[in-house]
Amino acid sequence: MHHATPVKFAAVSRICVALVFLCALIGIDNTHAQTPELAPDTVLINGKLVVYDRPPAQALAVRDGKIASIGDTSSIRALAGPSTRVIDLGGRTVIPGLIDSHIHAIRAGLGYSTEVQWLGVRTLKEAIERLRVAAKAAPRGSWLVVAGGWTPRQFREDRRPTQAEIAAAAPNHHVYIQLLYTHVLLDPSGAAALGVAGRAEWATRLKLELDHQRKPTGWLSGDNRSISDLFNLLPAPSFAQRLDGTRKFFRALNAMGITGVSDPGGYNIEISDYEPLFQLWRERALTVRVRYSLSAPRRDHELEDFKALTLTRPMGLGDDWLRFNGIGENVTWGFYNNDNPSDAQKEQLHEVLRWAVSRGMTVTFHWHNDRPVHHLLDALARVNAETPIAKLRWSIAHLNDASLQTLNRMKSLGVGWLVQNAFYFRGEAFLGQRGPEAARLVPPLVSALRMQVPLGGGTDAHRVMVPNPFVSLQWMLDGKTISGVAMRAPEELPTRIDALRLYTQGSAWFSFEESARGALAVGQFADLAVLSGDYLSVPIDQIGGLISLLTMVDGRIVYADGPFDALEGRTN
């Protein structure tokens, strides 16, 4: 091997000095000059960037859909070239784009343009008025549907609507109003129009609510499956309506700072219902990154159906906008809303999970209560003893009253926890059933973080909760119900940064993307939200009222309002 001589090094040094001198003579500033292909597409300046593990920054640069630089305003502004779009944030806070790790976004989109929305409405009077307005625009005799996402406690009147009220608001229409998965209110002729009036099958599945005079109120109650089957009797929106609703719902999510969702399938969604989503993807019109799972469509045919559905759909199929992320939340019907599975049902689940492992599938499970969760954990441990599952990033959703023992088992298996703010709506019911001592640990967020159980934030919207991530973040931080009742103990209230990380990096972990999105970091996707207030400093009880004024996904502005309104749709 030959070594350079000192003479050669000196010659090279003289050449370098000469080149620097020549650049100075012709006016080139080699510190800030940017060739067109290296100049950022967009720079955001004069902001307050929430950058994890370091003090907030002021500005960032975006190139080719990713964050290229982060720093102070002067250094980032200097990177701009002639075609760079410069956005002055005016001191506003920027957070990583929020990722809802468990939301039925695909199903919600199907009816978003045809349903009546009560999300966030604060008075029953306004809710009824929305029915009245919708009735004026809808064809006579058609259905007006409120599919969920509300609770009587959100109304100042603190009560449900009556059949008389909805009949007066929409006298020439049928009305269907669903409350969680437990109750439905129909107009006086609604049961007959759906074909359930007087039918023995439905009489055994649904309970007719009676008033103090033993007269029907119009409210029906039932279990999850019965309420879901009742919903399926409603006329389905056309493909054009489902496509329009999907587009509008995703835009509504963008307005809340959401840039990504993980969708677990679930009730009231068929394989054909994914087509509007795929259509937007083919048109390159998605404004939210979607990671979706497939639920078992038919009871006792789970493995057969999963094999057929995934024959040409391997784990991870798709791109950065739309990707298949395994199976669940209904993996087998015998383990779905069943606290006492039989030996045969346990064997059926084992068979499906062994197949999932062989295909490298991620699996997510719907499970509500801690007391019987040992059935599920035993099944996972049995599979894990044959082939370790930690690398597959399986998860359990809900499990609001998870015990520390359960969390330890999940940690040992490498199973993550998807947490939603169910008790924001239903906390008082839990208090009445289990008492204040149990409520202090629902859910034990700080304990789970301390144990390093993988956690993702979400809402489970839109049937049982509003999709607003800031409402969920506020609930994480103060543990209060929508009525202001405090439940969770102070030692289980996370910091603002921990809660935000749970809703960004934490959620990204479940689709193997924690190094690609979920943080304002160089090299990660430029998915971010510019907020109406400072998440880090506003009073906690005001966090739920925050909105995004500018939402960016892949470096593209997908939503803009207020001072940034004119920027939406512009590329430079």
Side-chain angles (χ1 to χ4, degrees), residues 486-509:
M487 293 179 58
R488 209 168 340 116
E491 58 267 25
E492 291 296 347
L493 301 178
T495 67
R496 297 191 192 211
I497 289 295
D498 282 344
L500 186 62
R501 291 185 95 143
L502 191 154
Y503 228 108
T504 52
Q505 287 179 323
S507 294
W509 183 88

Side-chain angles (χ1 to χ4, degrees), residues 60-71:
L60 61 78
V62 176
R63 185 170 58 241
D64 297 332
K66 295 185 177 180
I67 297 173
S69 303
I70 295 177

Side-chain angles (χ1 to χ4, degrees), residues 184-428:
V184 169
L185 174 64
L186 297 174
D187 66 274
S189 59
L194 289 178
V196 301
R199 290 182 57 182
E201 173 199 351
W202 286 99
T204 61
R205 300 185 67 189
L206 297 172
K207 182 179 179 181
L208 188 64
E209 182 182 270
L210 304 176
D211 64 16
H212 64 283
Q213 296 179 332
R214 307 296 296 171
K215 295 181 179 180
T217 65
W219 281 96
L220 305 171
S221 62
D223 61 18
N224 293 40
R225 192 67 220 171
S226 297
I227 297 297
S228 296
D229 288 346
L230 184 66
F231 182 90
N232 279 341
L233 299 178
L234 293 166
S238 68
F239 180 80
Q241 289 171 326
R242 289 182 291 159
L243 183 66
D244 181 60
T246 301
R247 195 188 310 269
K248 288 179 177 176
F249 185 65
F250 285 1
R251 175 176 165 79
L253 295 180
N254 295 146
M256 303 172 196
I258 293 178
T259 61
V261 298
S262 288
D263 190 295
Y267 287 133
N268 299 126
I269 185 166
E270 308 293 336
I271 298 302
S272 59
D273 290 330
Y274 288 79
E275 181 54 28
L277 171 70
F278 296 152
Q279 178 69 25
L280 290 179
W281 177 59
R282 288 192 296 269
E283 295 176 358
R284 300 183 182 274
L286 287 178
T287 61
V288 172
R289 300 187 193 276
V290 178
R291 308 295 177 254
Y292 69 98
S293 304
L294 293 178
S295 285
R298 298 184 299 166
R299 184 184 294 273
D300 296 327
H301 296 273
E302 292 89 343
L303 184 55
E304 172 191 351
D305 288 343
F306 281 138
K307 286 181 176 179
L309 289 171
T310 62
L311 188 63
T312 57
R313 195 196 316 256
M315 175 66 189
L317 180 68
D319 61 15
D320 292 330
W321 284 95
L322 178 65
R323 186 171 299 143
F324 174 54
N325 200 45
I327 61 174
E329 60 182 356
N330 182 2
V331 182
T332 60
W333 286 90
F335 265 73
Y336 198 49
N337 287 325
N338 181 10
D339 289 349
N340 297 289
S342 66
D343 288 341
Q345 290 168 332
K346 292 177 182 179
E347 196 59 39
Q348 183 185 48
L349 178 65
H350 182 68
E351 188 179 8
V352 172
L353 295 183
R354 287 186 67 189
W355 168 84
V357 170
S358 73
R359 294 293 303 273
M361 288 279 178
T362 290
V363 185
T364 186
F365 304 89
H366 165 105
W367 202 275
H368 278 301
N369 303 312
D370 187 77
R371 180 186 56 78
V373 77
H374 64 89
H375 292 300
L376 176 60
L377 295 175
D378 289 346
L380 301 189
R382 180 183 173 190
V383 176
N384 186 68
E386 299 168 353
T387 307
I389 62 175
K391 65 180 180 180
L392 300 177
R393 302 194 179 186
W394 290 5
S395 61
I396 300 176
H398 317 313
L399 198 60
N400 299 299
D401 64 338
S403 65
L404 300 187
Q405 179 183 6
T406 291
L407 293 175
N408 268 314
R409 289 196 70 185
M410 291 170 63
K411 170 65 176 176
S412 68
L413 292 167
V415 172
W417 187 20
L418 304 177
V419 179
Q420 305 84 45
N421 56 320
F423 284 171
Y424 180 69
F425 272 6
R426 304 198 296 275
E428 285 87 352

Side-chain angles (χ1 to χ4, degrees), residues 443-526:
L445 295 178
V446 174
S447 293
L449 288 170
R450 188 180 301 117
M451 295 162 62
Q452 296 184 320
V453 175
L455 285 177
T459 58
D460 198 22
H462 82 305
R463 292 284 167 78
V464 300
M465 181 51 57
V466 294
N468 191 329
F470 292 105
V471 169
S472 187
L473 284 164
Q474 178 177 313
W475 167 84
M476 288 181 195
L477 294 171
D478 66 12
K480 294 181 180 179
T481 70
I482 191 171
S483 301
V485 177
M487 293 179 58
R488 209 168 340 116
E491 58 267 25
E492 291 296 347
L493 301 178
T495 67
R496 297 191 192 211
I497 289 295
D498 282 344
L500 186 62
R501 291 185 95 143
L502 191 154
Y503 228 108
T504 52
Q505 287 179 323
S507 294
W509 183 88
F510 292 88
S511 56
F512 302 86
E513 295 178 282
E514 69 275 16
S515 62
R517 60 189 180 125
L520 300 180
V522 173
Q524 292 208 10
F525 290 124

